[in-house]
Amino acid sequence: MKKGIHPEYKDTEVECACGNKFTVRSNHEKVHLEVCNKCHPFYVGDGTITNRKAGNVEKFNRKYGLEKEAK
């Protein structure tokens, strides 16, 4: 590695919008997040995995009037 061209790597405090705080290593002073593993619906268990493809096909058929022909 060349000397003098790399940013300083230090402990960084990360703060989420939900109030969760933790420390990581980064070249930034502070990091602010909107969601973290404590408040994201997928990690908390509130999220559901849905089949979006079926919804998109139905939306396409309604948009172009193909719903009547398919039946």
Side-chain angles (χ1 to χ4, degrees), residues 52-67:
R52 290 182 171 201
K53 190 172 186 179
N56 288 340
V57 170
E58 292 169 0
K59 183 178 174 183
F60 178 85
N61 287 340
R62 281 194 309 266
K63 182 177 180 180
Y64 293 105
L66 302 175
E67 194 170 303

Side-chain angles (χ1 to χ4, degrees), residues 10-14 21-25:
K10 55 191 169 255
D11 289 332
T12 302
E13 183 178 310
V14 179
K21 294 181 182 178
F22 53 94
T23 305
V24 296
R25 300 272 297 162

Side-chain angles (χ1 to χ4, degrees), residues 2-69:
K2 293 183 180 180
K3 293 183 180 181
I5 64 167
H6 299 287
E8 184 182 342
Y9 195 63
K10 55 191 169 255
D11 289 332
T12 302
E13 183 178 310
V14 179
E15 184 177 356
C16 181
C18 69
N20 185 29
K21 294 181 182 178
F22 53 94
T23 305
V24 296
R25 300 272 297 162
S26 175
N27 58 355
H28 295 285
E29 296 278 330
K30 285 189 173 188
V31 177
H32 298 281
L33 300 174
E34 293 181 18
V35 291
C36 67
N37 64 331
K38 300 291 184 187
C39 62
H40 192 280
F42 182 77
Y43 293 110
V44 178
D46 294 338
T48 57
I49 299 173
T50 59
N51 185 359
R52 290 182 171 201
K53 190 172 186 179
N56 288 340
V57 170
E58 292 169 0
K59 183 178 174 183
F60 178 85
N61 287 340
R62 281 194 309 266
K63 182 177 180 180
Y64 293 105
L66 302 175
E67 194 170 303
K68 298 171 188 170
E69 295 175 15

